Amino acid sequence: MMNQSKIGTLLQKGAALQRAGDLKKAEGFYRQVLKLDRRNPDALHLLGTVLHLTGRSKQGLKVLEEAVAVQASNAAFRRSLAQILLALDQTGKARVQLEKAIALDPNFVAARANLGELLGKSGEHEEAVRQFRSALEHFPAHPALNNNLGNSLLKLQKFQEAHDAFTTALQGDPSLATAWEGLADVLVELDQDEAAWRLLKEAVARFGDNPRLLTKCGGLAQQFGAFEEAGTLLRKALAIDPHTYPAINRIAHIQKFKADDPLLKEMHRLWQDARPEGDDRHALAFALGKAEADCGNYDSAFAFYAEGNRLRRPEYQYDRNEARAENEDLIARYDAALFKAKQGIGAMDRRPVFVVGMPRSGTTLTEQILAAHPSVVGVGEARAMSRIAKHAPQDPLTLVAQEAEALGAAYLDHVVAMAGPEAERIIDKMPHNFQRLGLIALVLPGARIIHCRRDPADTCLSIFFQSFGGYLPFAYDLEELGAAYQDYRRLMAHWKNVLPLPMFDLDYEALVEDTEREARRLLSFLDLPWDPAVLSHHEASHEVKTASHWQVRQPVYQSSLGRWKRYEKHLGPLLPYLETLEEA
């Protein structure tokens, strides 16, 4: 009994010291207990935790494994063991321990939160959401839990639910910087970029030393043409942390490099000495590609771009045969007979104008020219139609009139809210809406289509030189890019034959060679009067959401025409795909 009393006292003293932050003295008390009782589970648990907290995780792991062996039914022990396993990158074993902890105690909120984080990092966001929601049943306003829930919902593209989760997190803890970042990301996905920019400005005012927030705010400043502000924010991020590679990448795309540029030298030093990994190495590779191209070092530029693409390609699933089969399925389903059978359905409205084509084909320049007209508002690459498509039947033959009108009205509600009710024409320049033109014709029979075309090799090279993220998974391999371009041309040739919508073909080369002539033709197509403001589009202050945000703020230039010829010797895998293209 005396030993048990002494053990209890020693454990209490050790725990009090641990809470006070005196881990060294706490460790001494736990070791005294183990001299009295070598298998005391509480002492083993607490000692293992202290060893981990003082940088001796491998020793702590052995001690905690012993604690779990002594008291296998203790859920808290298993959670502590999981935390050390996570620190040692033993994710699989950590997951097992957390799942066993939850099985022992289904209401163990901390274990569910840890498991949710682990699942989120592993990409299992559906299960992560389930764990977070279970934990939130006990603590519905818990800031960190809501923040983590928001992150997983964002990955699942459940944007409104993510918005609510991040909002709850910030209501509980406004100092949670990651929740500010997450909420800004959600607002962007909801096409509320201006609100996201305002939010990030407020976040930067609160957390002025946070490189991630500075970089994101700088990125949105770029989109709105505030390049001086963007540069200030991005350089501040680098001053705080020189290894903020996304900031380096963004700076590289709003300036022209010369060979003696100090930033270029620093980028090369980082590439050789710091040797970043993953997303950071990818971002630096594309920045170096841009800088080397600016300096006329085209072989070096291509090498960096190729390395950036090589690093990114394994992150995305893409099968060119599956993509081709999906293309052929669209062609088969949306034939002339379908449009004849469905004539007269949908929400009739003459305001929507869809600017489509492959990315980097001049869609942004086209939108900016048109949006400078007083009767036109551009809504950028609106995500509305891609969301509408998810609610449409896979077989368009089953689309009924009431459903078509509701889908069209839902799209109109979204873009009119963005553009305002006064807009006579609303420009949606999501390039990949070329895949949805059949659905657009059914639900918005008053829409018009502007198809942007550019030299195929220039288009593909420009795509290869731009990091698009997962929504363009074919962009990182030249052969896959060539095959995707073939599919695009085949689909557009089909739409020209069967689509019951007016379509205007705009060649990029013609647009940059004689902008006024092509602008007049565009306005005529849209039944709008001539306005010389469209020739000063680069002076406008509205948002540019694409990779072209820097270029379109400049006067129209012809330097990008035939750019592929500088890199021709590197394009062997691509060029054969561009030799036999359908006329579109």
Side-chain angles (χ1 to χ4, degrees), residues 520-573:
R520 286 182 180 277
R521 293 179 64 225
L522 279 169
L523 292 176
S524 176
F525 173 70
L526 299 180
D527 295 327
L528 292 172
W530 170 250
D531 193 302
V534 298
L535 300 179
S536 302
H537 65 91
H538 54 284
E539 298 173 3
S541 60
H542 45 256
E543 181 189 16
V544 181
K545 296 179 69 170
T546 73
S548 306
H549 47 67
W550 170 257
Q551 293 97 319
V552 299
R553 303 290 186 189
Q554 318 307 315
V556 173
Y557 60 97
Q558 300 186 23
S559 58
S560 62
L561 301 183
R563 184 168 66 138
W564 71 272
K565 294 177 182 177
R566 302 169 187 164
Y567 303 93
E568 184 172 4
K569 66 182 178 182
H570 302 292
L571 300 180

Side-chain angles (χ1 to χ4, degrees), residues 10-30:
L10 290 169
L11 285 172
Q12 287 178 0
K13 289 182 177 180
L17 287 165
Q18 185 171 342
R19 285 193 298 273
D22 194 341
L23 301 181
K24 186 175 182 180
K25 286 185 179 178
E27 179 181 341
F29 280 104
Y30 301 146

